[in-house]
């Protein structure tokens, strides 16, 4: 069969999606005069804004009579659940490594998953046109990585190409800086085996991605594992135990061609397809011919390590900016998310007004919250907390992460000091060239919550931090949180410049003149370590007396500090919340009434 299924895996920002752009162009998928956006596979609005891949997406190109199905995967560790699922759809992987940064934490994670499944990688050293490239050292790092991941002799004998995805060339000679991607296409055809699946057996298909369409309903994507499926063929869905979930017909079969889904009448074993016609079947279900009674075993997914509380917005401004504010709407949306994203777990609280949402990291949950607010939801979000476990001896354990930090030499001392305060242990430190140092830590996830913003301030925005779940290890005891207190509004109304001016001496303000405030809302950070209630709504008394000595000068305010969603979630303390609406992100105390806050803090001290 002239078919190859391959996934492109790499650390975040090593050039996967840009390389796919060039594969499209050079395979003739796009016309010469066709206008195509950069990173065409990043079709989601959030992906375009952030410049990262969030969802795994299949595509297909034709090259010299061979059809190549390519799956573009996310590079960020928080979206690792996407990568783990789709690797079962492919027969080979292209491992992309930056010629300067080398093997990074996510490279290790995805490569380990691929090697465990027996896939033989093609290693592509990308961005060889960088002035700080160190090609040979990077190749040595990749080989060492494979050895540490227990790769077989066959996997260690990997082919290597040297490429620049942006400039559209790949060669076996590292000194060449021109050409096309023909050597990469040829390597895929020669090195990746065609699907070794039974075409004559009954039809089976494992669902790895779930999508929705306003006209077709549920769209299930995966690889046909055996047999053939035809349009309107009777099928049923089985769960992992082999129990029938639902029965129906294959009302629509679609294959991938470039960026489009193309309807087809028939698909055979090895094809990556999308299927419509079922209403209940979901990710990890087996779709099969009605004669099949045994389900295909899905790959186990690593468990979540972090959770947040999503609550109904109960602030005095609830319902003014969003259209979806009830707990029923929030529950339905979260259940839909958990259905299509197997790395997320949702549990409802006893009061039915809040939900515990567990995921892989702050970024993954932040993307979910950002998506929901754009859909019109209003939410109250709690501080992230890690999920503890007990080991076989009954001892409390917590998740640890491998943290790789690239930082200018002058800031390395500050970073080491801050990581020590957060109970991180340094495991490696070495120069990485260009006046930079690469430091590796093993640190509890609990200590890293909220550190990223502080890290960027400490390194003047030049530091790069990469994190990856490592293990569950011994509980590290108390870790100090935020050192500063907050400024809290003591009433409701509009913020006034006359009142805000003097408050600037007290700390950093988060609100500006004219903003609507309510009692218990956080309006700034106190310079001291305790919370302070203030009146930001006091207006100047208007009289017909003119003050002497030029006291009537206009108040000039420093622009307020505006936080992004991720910054706000990382900033808040245990007794605070983020109010998220389609147009605003506000910080507030969990208990708006000051008497309730005092009672809650006394109860916490007594406990």
């Amino acid at each position: 069969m002239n078919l190859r299924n391959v996934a492109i895996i790499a650390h975040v920002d090593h050039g996967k999606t840009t390389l796919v752009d060039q594969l499209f162009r050079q395979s003739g998928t796009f016309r010469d005069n066709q206008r195509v956006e950069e990173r065409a596979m990043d079709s989601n609005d959030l992906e375009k804004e952030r410049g990262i891949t969030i969802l795994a997406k299949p595509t297909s190109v034709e090259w010299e009579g061979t059809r190549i199905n390519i799956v573009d995967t996310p590079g960020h560790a928080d979206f690792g659940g996407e990568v783990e699922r789709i690797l079962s759809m492919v027969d080979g992987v292209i491992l992309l490594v930056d010629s300067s940064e080398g093997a990074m934490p996510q490279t290790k994670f995805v490569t380990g998953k691929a090697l465990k499944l027996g896939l033989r990688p093609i290693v592509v050293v990308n961005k060889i046109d960088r002035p700080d490239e160190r090609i040979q050292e990077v190749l040595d790092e990749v080989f060492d990585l494979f050895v540490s991941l227990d790769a077989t002799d066959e996997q260690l004998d990997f082919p290597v190409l040297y490429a620049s995805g942006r400039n559209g060339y790949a060669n076996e000679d590292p000194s060449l800086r021109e050409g096309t991607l023909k050597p990469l296409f040829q390597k895929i055809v020669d090195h990746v085996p065609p699907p070794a699946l039974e075409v004559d057996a009954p039809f089976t298909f494992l669902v790895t991605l779930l999508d929705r369409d306003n006209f077709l309903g549920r769209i299930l994507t995966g690889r046909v594992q055996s047999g053939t499926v035809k349009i309107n063929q009777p099928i049923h869905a089985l769960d992992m135990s082999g129990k029938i979930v639902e029965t129906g017909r294959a009302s629509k079969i679609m294959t991938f061609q470039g960026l489009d889904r193309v309807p087809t009448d028939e698909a055979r074993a090895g094809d990556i397809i999308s299927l419509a016609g079922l209403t209940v079947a979901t990710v990890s279900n087996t779709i099969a011919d009605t004669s099949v009674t045994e389900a295909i075993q899905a790959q186990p997914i690593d468990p979540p390590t972090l959770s947040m509380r999503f609550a109904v917005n109960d602030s005095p401004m609830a319902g003014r900016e969003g259209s979806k504010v009830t707990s029923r709407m929030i529950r339905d949306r979260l259940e839909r998310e958990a259905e299509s994203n197997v790395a997320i777990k949702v549990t409802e609280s006893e009061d039915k007004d809040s939900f515990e949402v567990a995921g892989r990291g702050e970024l993954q949950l932040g993307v979910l919250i950002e998506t929901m607010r754009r859909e019109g939801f209003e939410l109250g979000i709690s501080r992230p907390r890690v999920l503890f476990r007990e080991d076989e001896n009954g001892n409390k354990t917590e998740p640890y992460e491998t943290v790789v930090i690239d930082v200018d030499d002058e800031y390395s001392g500050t970073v080491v000091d801050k990581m020590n305060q957060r109970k991180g242990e340094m495991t490696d430190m070495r120069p990485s060239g260009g006046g930079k140092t690469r430091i590796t830590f093993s640190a509890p996830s609990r200590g890293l919550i909220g550190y990223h913003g502080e890290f960027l301030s400490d390194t003047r925005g030049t530091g790069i931090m990469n994190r990856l779940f490592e293990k569950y290890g011994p509980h590290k005891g108390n870790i100090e949180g935020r050192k500063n207190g907050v400024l809290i509004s003591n009433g409701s109304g509009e913020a006034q410049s006359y009142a805000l001016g003097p408050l600037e001496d007290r700390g950093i303000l988060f609100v500006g003149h004219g903003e609507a405030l309510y009692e218990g809302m956080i309006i700034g950070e106190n310079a001291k370590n305790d919370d302070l209630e203030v009146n930001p709504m006091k207006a100047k008394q208007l009289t017909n007396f003119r003050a002497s000595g030029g006291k009537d000068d206009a108040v000039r305010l420093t622009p307020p500090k505006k936080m992004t969603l991720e910054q706000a979630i990382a900033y808040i303390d245990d007794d605070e919340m983020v109010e998220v609406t389609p147009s605003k992100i506000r910080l507030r105390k969990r208990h708006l009434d000051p008497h309730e806050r005092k009672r809650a803090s006394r109860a916490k001290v007594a406990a």
Side-chain angles (χ1 to χ4, degrees):
M1 186 190 293
N2 279 342
L3 176 66
R4 301 290 186 275
N5 294 324
V6 66
I8 299 187
I9 59 175
H11 185 79
V12 66
D13 210 25
H14 279 198
K16 298 178 297 301
T17 310
T18 306
L19 180 66
V20 173
D21 280 359
Q22 290 292 350
L23 290 172
F24 281 153
R25 286 194 170 86
Q26 296 191 24
S27 64
T29 303
F30 299 145
R31 297 190 314 274
D32 290 342
N33 63 345
Q34 187 171 343
R35 185 180 172 276
V36 182
E37 289 186 34
E38 270 190 37
R39 300 193 317 276
M41 289 293 283
D42 286 348
S43 52
N44 181 311
D45 285 346
L46 275 176
E47 291 180 317
K48 287 176 183 168
E49 285 170 28
R50 292 168 186 247
I52 59 171
T53 304
I54 294 170
L55 303 169
K57 291 175 282 295
T59 183
S60 175
V61 298
E62 298 243 347
W63 188 77
E64 294 189 358
T66 301
R67 184 158 189 217
I68 303 171
N69 288 323
I70 301 168
V71 187
D72 184 22
T73 64
H76 200 286
D78 282 18
F79 309 110
E82 293 276 326
V83 183
E84 290 171 73
R85 282 182 295 167
I86 62 92
L87 286 177
S88 61
M89 298 198 318
V90 298
D91 304 297
V93 291
I94 298 170
L95 174 63
L96 221 60
V97 190
D98 188 294
S99 68
S100 172
E101 292 183 8
M104 298 292 279
Q106 182 71 2
T107 316
K108 180 179 180 180
F109 171 77
V110 290
T111 308
K113 298 286 179 189
L115 294 177
K116 200 181 285 183
L117 289 169
L119 301 174
R120 290 173 58 211
I122 299 168
V123 174
V124 177
V125 180
N126 195 26
K127 304 187 184 182
I128 59 168
D129 51 343
R130 283 183 65 152
D132 56 348
E133 53 85 5
R134 46 186 195 94
I135 294 171
Q136 198 50 52
E137 291 170 57
V138 166
L139 260 185
D140 294 341
E141 282 177 24
V142 172
F143 188 83
D144 293 344
L145 175 66
F146 279 36
V147 172
S148 69
L149 293 170
D150 299 327
T152 63
D153 291 346
E154 193 179 28
Q155 288 169 331
L156 285 171
D157 187 20
F158 53 81
V160 182
L161 290 172
Y162 306 93
S164 169
R166 188 177 59 184
N167 296 319
Y169 60 79
N171 298 296
E172 294 190 15
D173 182 349
S175 62
L176 291 176
R177 295 288 182 274
E178 59 184 12
T180 66
L181 290 175
K182 184 176 178 180
L184 179 57
F185 282 119
Q186 193 62 54
K187 197 63 78 178
I188 293 170
V189 173
D190 294 344
H191 187 75
V192 178
L197 302 169
E198 298 176 51
V199 180
D200 301 327
F203 164 66
T204 59
F205 165 90
L206 181 67
V207 182
T208 47
L209 300 169
L210 173 67
D211 199 4
R212 277 181 180 76
D213 186 278
N214 292 337
F215 303 104
L216 300 174
R218 238 167 228 242
I219 297 178
L220 308 166
T221 300
R223 180 172 72 161
V224 181
Q225 298 287 15
S226 65
T228 306
V229 61
K230 296 182 178 176
I231 204 94
N232 284 327
Q233 178 178 325
I235 52 175
H236 62 195
L238 307 170
D239 64 15
M240 291 179 72
S241 62
K243 184 180 163 196
I244 295 176
V245 177
E246 70 168 318
T247 305
R249 289 181 180 275
S251 61
K252 193 97 170 176
I253 303 168
M254 291 166 286
T255 58
F256 293 89
Q257 195 172 313
L259 300 174
D260 306 316
R261 286 195 182 110
V262 181
T264 183
D265 293 334
E266 181 181 70
R268 299 158 58 101
D271 284 335
I272 293 176
I273 61 164
S274 291
L275 196 69
L278 298 174
T279 56
V280 182
T282 185
V283 171
S284 77
N285 284 170
T286 300
I287 314 299
D289 187 84
T290 49
S291 62
V292 176
T293 56
E294 202 171 313
I296 302 165
Q297 286 310 301
Q299 285 295 316
I301 300 290
D302 289 347
T305 57
L306 194 80
S307 79
M308 287 183 200
R309 197 168 70 92
F310 286 45
V312 173
N313 184 17
D314 60 355
S315 89
M317 294 184 188
R320 293 189 192 178
E321 292 148 8
S323 56
K324 297 171 182 172
V325 294
T326 65
S327 60
R328 181 183 58 79
M329 286 175 164
I330 295 169
R331 184 200 306 114
D332 291 349
R333 178 65 180 84
L334 290 174
E335 285 175 353
R336 262 202 337 266
E337 185 67 27
E339 199 175 67
S340 61
N341 187 345
V342 289
I344 280 182
K345 300 277 182 290
V346 178
T347 49
E348 192 169 6
S349 66
E350 290 179 11
D351 62 6
K352 306 287 184 188
D353 272 352
S354 64
F355 306 86
E356 200 73 25
V357 182
R360 287 283 178 81
E362 292 160 79
L363 179 63
Q364 185 193 26
L365 295 175
V367 165
L368 170 59
I369 297 164
E370 182 62 42
T371 306
M372 288 177 70
R373 75 182 282 233
R374 290 181 183 204
E375 292 169 4
F377 283 90
E378 285 194 13
L379 301 163
I381 306 295
S382 75
R383 176 177 167 82
R385 62 180 187 84
V386 299
L387 299 174
F388 298 110
R389 289 189 194 170
E390 285 190 357
D391 62 13
E392 58 274 7
N393 302 320
N395 298 321
K396 192 177 186 181
T397 63
E398 63 177 322
Y400 282 61
E401 295 185 29
T402 299
V403 186
V404 177
I405 290 174
D406 284 297
V407 66
D408 290 347
D409 295 342
E410 59 189 292
Y411 304 126
S412 57
T414 309
V415 169
V416 171
D417 181 46
K418 288 285 177 72
M419 287 297 288
N420 283 339
Q421 290 175 25
R422 292 166 178 269
K423 304 287 176 80
E425 291 179 12
M426 187 164 64
T427 56
D428 186 32
M429 184 175 186
R430 55 190 167 87
S432 56
K436 286 188 174 287
T437 303
R438 176 169 292 181
I439 318 169
T440 308
F441 296 91
S442 175
S445 303
R446 194 163 44 102
L448 297 169
I449 293 171
Y451 175 54
H452 194 254
E454 196 180 324
F455 166 76
L456 288 176
S457 299
D458 290 343
T459 61
R460 306 293 184 271
T462 60
I464 298 171
M465 179 198 292
N466 291 289
R467 296 162 48 177
L468 180 68
F469 173 73
E470 180 188 336
K471 63 179 180 184
Y472 265 84
H475 186 257
K476 284 273 190 175
N478 184 46
I479 297 175
E480 264 192 49
R482 191 181 70 211
K483 289 186 172 66
N484 295 63
V486 290
L487 303 175
I488 308 164
S489 173
N490 67 359
S492 301
E494 276 191 9
Q496 301 291 334
S497 299
Y498 183 73
L500 294 176
L503 289 178
E504 286 192 335
D505 298 335
R506 297 280 190 175
I508 301 164
L509 295 181
F510 301 155
V511 297
H513 172 76
E515 286 192 39
L517 310 177
Y518 54 81
E519 186 180 22
M521 181 171 157
I522 295 170
I523 64 149
E525 180 180 281
N526 192 4
K528 297 181 178 176
N529 59 5
D530 55 346
D531 293 346
L532 182 67
E533 289 185 36
V534 296
N535 179 7
M537 293 150 296
K538 185 181 177 185
K540 184 177 181 183
Q541 295 300 313
L542 300 176
T543 70
N544 60 354
F545 287 98
R546 192 172 287 175
S548 62
K551 288 183 181 172
D552 276 345
D553 287 349
V555 177
R556 285 190 174 81
L557 292 175
T558 307
K561 179 181 178 181
K562 294 293 182 186
M563 292 195 188
T564 63
L565 179 62
E566 273 91 5
Q567 286 170 338
I569 290 168
Y571 179 81
I572 56 172
D573 223 330
D574 292 333
D575 64 336
E576 296 162 3
M577 295 175 74
V578 181
E579 179 190 349
V580 179
T581 74
S583 57
K584 294 282 184 187
I585 294 169
R586 302 183 185 96
L587 304 186
R588 51 165 282 193
K589 286 290 184 180
R590 178 165 288 171
H591 300 289
L592 299 177
D593 184 86
H595 303 299
E596 278 186 41
R597 282 203 294 278
K598 283 171 188 160
R599 274 198 293 272
S601 75
R602 279 198 297 268
K604 187 178 177 184
V605 170

